[in-house]
Amino acid sequence: SALRNIRLQHKARKTASYANKNLRIVLDSQEEKESLIESIEGLVNKINNKGFKPPVFKSRKDRHKMILELMVSDVHYGALTEREGKIVFNLEICRRRIRELARVTLIEIENNRKNYNIEKLIIAMLGDIIESSTMHEMESLVGCEFTNSAQVHHAIESLLEDLILPLAMTGIEIEIPAVTGNHDRTHPQKTMTQPGRHNVTWIIYNTLKLFCSRLGLKNVQFFIPEECFLVRPIFGNNVLYEHCDEVKAPTEKALEDLGLWPPK
């Protein structure tokens, strides 16, 4: 009948529209990945030929041990914030703040090593490293200075040159637990299936790990989970690192409900 033919045509159009939408998502994702690869290759060519040899950090037996911990969270490389026509946050300001963070940490190290043996420095990278120009589609794009591939590029460059290298050159053993955050994704929908591996922080952290290895920074060690959390020991105690995007309250029960605690 004519009605049946109309229904079949409508269904065919819906199927084609759905297929085209999925195809666009796949193509956009592939284009984004290719741009990221090109950005990382550019960083490799820029940084790979530099040589660094951290000094040996000497300890004294007559001093107590100390572990220093630096929290690096919600940096949001790529975010652009304006207030009354004035830029209050962009890449230039972001990198200036990261360099200041490194400078203050170096002062803390120097002050504390007068009285303690600094056993290690923990640089806890807790996610939301980039702003993401696509996580909320157009709303995210208007709040960004540039797109995701450039955000990843600048995040890697800045975290290495402005933060890790200056601190690594103290010679102190550095551990970097590195978990993902909710802004480190490229799609509107969050994934609970290995978000640590599927978000762009997987690229950022593993590229930083590669650079540190290539540059001969033997005192820098990364711990990069495939999940959204990581448990590491400090002086015999377990410490949970997580961005807390999914945790509803800062309580042990909230962590248990998500299966994050106690550590397996």
Side-chain angles (χ1 to χ4, degrees):
S1 66
L3 180 60
R4 182 173 180 275
N5 289 335
I6 291 171
R7 288 177 61 189
L8 288 173
Q9 289 173 10
H10 178 65
K11 184 178 180 180
R13 283 196 296 269
K14 284 181 64 178
T15 301
S17 176
Y18 180 77
N20 287 334
K21 181 180 179 181
N22 284 338
L23 180 60
R24 283 195 302 272
I25 291 173
V26 171
L27 291 175
D28 289 345
S29 177
Q30 184 63 32
E31 185 177 345
E32 187 77 25
K33 288 177 181 177
E34 289 175 358
S35 295
L36 288 173
I37 291 170
E38 290 176 2
S39 292
I40 291 170
E41 286 176 346
L43 281 173
V44 170
N45 293 331
K46 178 181 179 182
I47 300 174
N48 195 40
N49 293 326
K50 295 181 180 179
F52 297 91
K53 189 176 181 180
V56 176
F57 191 81
K58 297 180 180 180
S59 60
R60 289 177 50 172
K61 295 181 180 179
D62 60 338
R63 295 176 179 177
H64 291 293
K65 294 179 180 179
M66 169 184 273
I67 293 177
L68 292 176
E69 186 174 45
L70 173 63
M71 300 289 188
V72 181
S73 179
D74 296 85
V75 185
H76 294 279
Y77 286 101
L80 178 64
T81 306
E82 297 182 74
R83 188 176 297 123
E84 297 179 354
K86 181 181 179 181
I87 294 176
V88 295
F89 187 84
N90 61 3
L91 178 63
E92 181 184 354
I93 296 170
C94 182
R95 291 199 64 166
R96 188 164 67 239
R97 290 178 181 178
I98 294 295
R99 287 192 290 269
E100 176 65 11
L101 179 64
R103 188 188 70 83
V104 172
T105 304
L106 288 170
I107 292 173
E108 287 291 314
I109 290 171
E110 193 59 34
N111 288 339
N112 281 288
R113 72 191 300 182
K114 296 174 183 176
N115 301 304
Y116 295 92
N117 280 325
I118 301 177
E119 190 171 81
K120 71 176 70 169
L121 168 65
I122 297 173
I123 305 176
M125 295 192 180
L126 301 179
D128 279 10
I129 301 300
I130 69 165
E131 173 69 10
S132 183
S133 64
T134 55
M135 67 170 289
H136 290 315
E137 298 176 329
M138 186 57 69
E139 182 181 349
S140 291
L141 185 61
V142 296
C144 286
E145 190 174 3
F146 29 72
T147 58
N148 291 337
S149 57
Q151 291 181 26
V152 169
H153 173 101
H154 290 298
I156 294 169
E157 185 174 47
S158 174
L159 290 173
L160 181 65
E161 294 186 345
D162 302 335
L163 185 68
I164 296 174
L165 273 176
L167 298 179
M169 293 309 292
T170 62
I172 298 174
E173 293 296 318
I174 295 177
E175 287 190 1
I176 304 180
V179 299
T180 194
N182 58 303
H183 272 259
D184 299 312
R185 68 183 195 266
T186 58
H187 294 89
Q189 294 78 24
K190 286 189 279 188
T191 176
M192 290 303 292
T193 305
Q194 296 182 319
R197 185 180 184 88
H198 294 143
N199 288 353
V200 298
T201 37
W202 184 258
I203 299 170
I204 294 170
Y205 296 150
N206 279 283
T207 303
L208 288 170
K209 179 181 178 181
L210 173 64
F211 279 142
C212 289
S213 175
R214 293 272 182 90
L215 294 171
L217 302 178
K218 296 181 179 179
N219 58 324
V220 179
Q221 188 175 12
F222 280 79
F223 299 89
I224 308 168
E226 295 186 348
E227 302 299 335
C228 64
F229 67 96
L230 178 71
V231 176
R232 291 289 302 156
I234 297 182
F235 286 140
N237 295 308
N238 285 318
V239 176
L240 173 68
Y241 294 99
E242 207 267 345
H243 187 69
C244 287
D245 174 45
E246 296 296 332
V247 178
K248 304 304 179 186
T251 63
E252 189 171 324
K253 184 179 184 307
L255 297 174
E256 288 175 352
D257 290 343
L258 275 180
L260 304 184
W261 198 264
K264 303 293 189 292

